[in-house]
Amino acid sequence: MISSATDLYCVLGNPVAHSKSPLIHNAAFRDLGIDAVYLAFAPEITGAAIHSAMEAMRTLNIRGASVTIPFKETVIPCLDYIDPAARQIGAVNTVVNRNGRLLGFNTDRDAAVAPLKRFGIRGKTVCVVGAGGAARAVAHGIAAEGGNLVILNRTEERGRALADRVNGRYISPDRAAEVRAQIVVNTTSVGMVPNTEALSFPETALFPGAVVMDVVYTPLDTCLLKAAETRGCATVDGLSMFVAQAAAQFELWTGKAPDTGLMKQILLETL
Ligand code: ATR
């Protein structure tokens, strides 16, 4: 039951109405008997709203936050400490409030690479679509596993900047087929509800035998993954990565490992 002793956690994103994070974190709190609730907030994208949100965390003693599109980079200067891995990636997806000190972590990198490991990454040509915070996490994870990175992004400047950071090369979206990617990972919000027909990577640039992963999980069966199946590619949906990054966040906040099977089951029931 919610009382005056109940701890508050939240997700900060914009848009955030689609987020399934409240469902799985609240379920894990209930499951482990932790007196806490988890809500969703959507600060304004522009201006100092993310800074104000961090101030609110300190003032109201909000114990932890998930940070999602488009705040994973802009939240960094608002924090008191950045974990070295998150600093290297340049993106924070998890904030922990330790007695008023806000600590930033990145649980996306390991969560992104985990479901791709069984296909083998070393020596493969891996095309990361996007150059935002999620892309950085994925690209650093792929680089650590020995993949050959190609960054494809709408905005060339951002794409080149990420490619330089991870010893990869940049390619513009109209030249996607030239990559002959063995692994494609969409890290953008393209294909997410409500614009589910949008495709972040051209279907004609997908080759049979490639592995296509989408970080979008609303819907689970994105237009990109459907196109990949049609073209004879293996697919990895956004669920595995989403649950893994959430479980790691939960552990950072509470020191307890949540039941990831329960989290997956709840997600599957709603997707
Ligand atoms: P996050 O930090 O959560 O990854 P972000 O920094 O806003 O969020 O990054 C979103 C990524 O998705 C960016 O690479 C963005 O491309 P730009 O660098 O050109 O802005 C990409 N993206 C978002 N909407 C897109 C769209 N409609 N078409 C193509 N790319 C898009």
Side-chain angles (χ1 to χ4, degrees), residues 130-132 135-136 139-140 151 157-167:
R136 283 183 193 205
H140 279 276
I151 308 297
E157 195 186 349
R158 282 185 95 191
R160 284 198 187 282
L162 176 56
D164 288 348
R165 284 179 73 146
V166 294
N167 286 327

Side-chain angles (χ1 to χ4, degrees), residues 8-10 12 51-67 75 79 94-97 100 102-103 253:
L8 177 58
Y9 293 81
C10 65
L12 298 164
H51 182 79
S52 305
M54 290 302 112
E55 281 304 311
M57 281 190 73
R58 292 187 182 92
T59 307
L60 305 178
N61 195 24
I62 297 172
R63 305 298 296 270
S66 310
V67 181
V75 75
L79 303 175
T94 309
V95 177
V96 179
N97 184 348
L102 300 185
L103 320 180
W253 293 329

Side-chain angles (χ1 to χ4, degrees), residues 68-70 72-73 130-135 153-155 158 187-190:
T68 188
I69 292 173
K72 290 182 183 183
E73 292 158 84
N153 195 49
R154 177 180 62 178
T155 306
R158 282 185 95 191
T187 70
T188 74
S189 53
V190 177

Side-chain angles (χ1 to χ4, degrees), residues 55-196:
E55 281 304 311
M57 281 190 73
R58 292 187 182 92
T59 307
L60 305 178
N61 195 24
I62 297 172
R63 305 298 296 270
S66 310
V67 181
T68 188
I69 292 173
F71 301 120
K72 290 182 183 183
E73 292 158 84
T74 52
V75 75
I76 288 176
C78 312
L79 303 175
D80 301 305
Y81 167 83
I82 311 293
D83 173 70
R87 187 172 292 287
Q88 189 202 24
I89 296 160
V92 160
N93 77 327
T94 309
V95 177
V96 179
N97 184 348
R98 289 255 157 81
N99 304 317
R101 284 191 81 229
L102 300 185
L103 320 180
F105 297 88
N106 187 303
T107 67
D108 283 331
R109 183 188 67 177
D110 294 350
V113 170
L116 288 172
K117 276 188 179 165
R118 68 190 165 98
F119 299 101
I121 298 171
R122 186 160 299 281
K124 296 241 174 99
T125 300
V126 183
C127 183
V128 173
V129 183
R136 283 183 193 205
V138 172
H140 279 276
I142 296 290
E145 294 294 324
N148 299 322
L149 278 162
V150 180
I151 308 297
L152 181 146
N153 195 49
R154 177 180 62 178
T155 306
E156 178 171 347
E157 195 186 349
R158 282 185 95 191
R160 284 198 187 282
L162 176 56
D164 288 348
R165 284 179 73 146
V166 294
N167 286 327
R169 63 190 173 91
Y170 167 79
I171 195 144
S172 56
D174 57 309
R175 296 179 61 196
E178 292 171 29
V179 179
R180 298 198 71 87
Q182 292 162 289
I183 300 176
V184 177
V185 185
N186 172 48
T187 70
T188 74
S189 53
V190 177
M192 192 186 281
V193 286
N195 299 317
T196 54

